[in-house]
Amino acid sequence: MRTIPILVGLAILTACTSAPYALRDMGSFHVGGRDVEITGKPVREVVFTPGGVPAKVDLNGTYSVEAMYVQYFLPQNRRGAVPLLMWHGGGLTGVTYETTPDGREGWMNYFIKQGWDVYNSDAVERGRAGWAMYPDIFKGEPVFLAKANPFERFRIGQGLGSYSPDPAKQKLMPASQFPVEGYDNFVKQSVPRWTTTDDAIIRAYIALVDKVCPCVILFHSQAGQFGFKVAQARPEKVKALIAIEPAGQGDPKQAAVLKGIPTLVVYGDNITLDSRWPQIRKNGVDFVGEISKAGGNVGVVDLPNAGIRGNSHMLMMDRNNLQVAALIQEWLAKQGLYR
């Protein structure tokens, strides 16, 4: 293991932060999911609009649940050998990879401009994937995060008590690259999440891989386990894995299944100053170490060792996000996946 304006047909859409993009296609779809039958619920009357006529709502019946939403952008000048799939972390959606909270170009835009077919998704029970009844279908209740939580937990600030609505009182990590002036915009992206839907999420991601791959999968944080486990389920369809600060892993007993898939793991800065991240990083490095022991091609990059400093857990949003993206792009080219 190594340590290391949009044009669509004749229509022109203007991008706010860059030159025009030339696309051969763009669109979206839902994939995966299952039907569930609900019985035993009372029929009730609901007034859907003020002053409207009440309507009887029968909650019994068949529901389509646990699908995921995918948006894709296919550049005219395709240079990536296979599509690039982007999977977000916990309490977040595909917005993670779009325009940064302070209005700069995100990774989705960057990789489209580099010539990659990009598929950006909202996982099961996030964003445009939609919800299902709970606890009938989604077991338990959703978890909501207060405004201070990401600031303190994502190594933007120096742990508990580091957030304040007054910027002058915020305690930032050393040399922080997170655009704190956009923090309010960032927390507006937060969505509820469940802790009981992992199996459904994995099934939907497998359905996505079956639909559009062979591919490269780039995944962040909570999606660590999803990226590795889906690759273990479909190793013949995954040509590379890029794990951005993975907070979960695959099955260590099946690590050897991934030995034929080039794998890059990227960590940001100030990990040793955080109460949780040294152990999270160790778990990730130990897992990919098993892939390496099986003969796999694994690279681990701690960005400070590469001269890239101050990155939070949200590397794709930090001020130097395009520098990190360029590092990933260079690695992909070295794997023979860029033409």
Side-chain angles (χ1 to χ4, degrees):
M1 180 170 62
R2 296 175 294 108
T3 301
I4 60 170
I6 306 172
L7 304 177
V8 186
L10 297 178
I12 299 178
L13 303 176
T14 303
C16 63
T17 58
S18 65
Y21 296 80
L23 301 179
R24 70 183 191 279
D25 196 9
M26 62 185 291
S28 63
F29 56 86
H30 285 79
V31 65
R34 63 191 178 102
D35 285 351
V36 176
E37 192 75 19
I38 295 293
T39 60
K41 295 287 185 180
V43 177
R44 56 194 178 96
E45 285 194 340
V46 176
V47 178
F48 288 103
T49 57
V53 178
K56 290 187 181 298
V57 175
D58 186 351
L59 296 179
N60 301 291
T62 302
Y63 291 79
S64 181
V65 301
E66 297 176 353
M68 62 180 289
Y69 172 84
V70 183
Q71 189 174 36
Y72 60 88
F73 299 87
L74 313 181
Q76 185 66 47
N77 182 24
R78 178 172 48 185
R79 300 192 64 191
V82 294
L84 173 64
L85 278 51
M86 293 183 164
W87 297 358
H88 59 77
L92 297 167
T93 70
V95 175
T96 289
Y97 298 107
E98 298 177 12
T99 308
T100 66
D102 59 332
R104 292 172 293 109
E105 184 175 75
W107 280 9
M108 186 181 77
N109 310 66
Y110 172 87
F111 283 101
I112 293 168
K113 286 169 62 176
Q114 295 298 316
W116 291 91
D117 286 357
V118 173
Y119 289 73
N120 189 27
S121 54
D122 293 353
V124 173
E125 46 89 347
R126 309 289 175 80
R128 287 173 284 185
W131 282 15
M133 281 192 287
Y134 62 91
D136 307 83
I137 299 171
F138 291 165
K139 303 306 177 185
E141 295 183 348
V143 177
F144 295 80
L145 299 179
K147 190 172 183 178
N149 185 284
F151 193 93
E152 298 172 344
R153 195 163 53 92
F154 290 173
R155 303 196 321 279
I156 298 169
Q158 299 176 26
L160 291 176
S162 62
Y163 174 76
S164 170
D166 181 353
K169 296 179 180 179
Q170 293 172 353
K171 301 174 184 177
L172 298 174
M173 280 290 189
S176 175
Q177 292 278 5
F178 188 87
V180 289
E181 67 276 16
Y183 184 73
D184 283 359
N185 285 333
F186 172 51
V187 294
K188 290 174 184 177
Q189 299 177 15
S190 296
V191 294
R193 58 168 289 190
W194 274 259
T195 59
T196 57
T197 56
D198 289 359
D199 290 345
I201 292 171
I202 289 170
R203 287 194 297 269
Y205 276 139
I206 289 174
L208 174 62
V209 167
D210 286 342
K211 180 179 178 70
V212 305
C213 294
C215 57
V216 172
I217 307 176
L218 184 155
F219 49 93
H220 175 237
S221 195
Q222 183 208 12
Q225 65 151 323
F226 305 143
F228 287 124
K229 288 181 179 179
V230 169
Q232 286 173 327
R234 297 290 188 271
E236 73 285 357
K237 294 189 175 184
V238 180
K239 302 306 177 184
L241 293 170
I242 304 161
I244 307 299
E245 294 212 345
Q249 295 76 47
D251 181 351
K253 295 179 181 179
Q254 297 186 51
V257 172
L258 304 177
K259 68 180 181 179
I261 304 174
T263 300
L264 178 69
V265 189
V266 182
Y267 293 99
D269 205 346
N270 297 312
I271 284 178
T272 58
L273 301 180
D274 188 84
S275 62
R276 301 168 62 249
W277 271 97
Q279 184 62 50
I280 295 172
R281 182 191 177 282
K282 181 180 185 301
N283 293 343
V285 171
D286 287 349
F287 175 74
V288 297
E290 293 301 311
I291 303 173
S292 183
K293 288 177 186 177
N297 170 10
V298 176
V300 176
V301 174
D302 291 289
L303 291 177
N305 295 337
I308 303 175
R309 301 188 179 280
N311 284 99
S312 71
H313 181 52
M314 304 304 298
L315 290 77
M316 66 294 295
M317 298 180 183
D318 290 333
R319 291 189 178 91
N320 60 357
N321 68 329
L322 298 187
Q323 187 179 10
V324 180
L327 181 151
I328 295 168
Q329 167 66 21
E330 181 180 1
W331 180 83
L332 285 167
K334 288 180 178 177
Q335 309 314 309
L337 293 168
Y338 193 66
R339 49 197 180 206

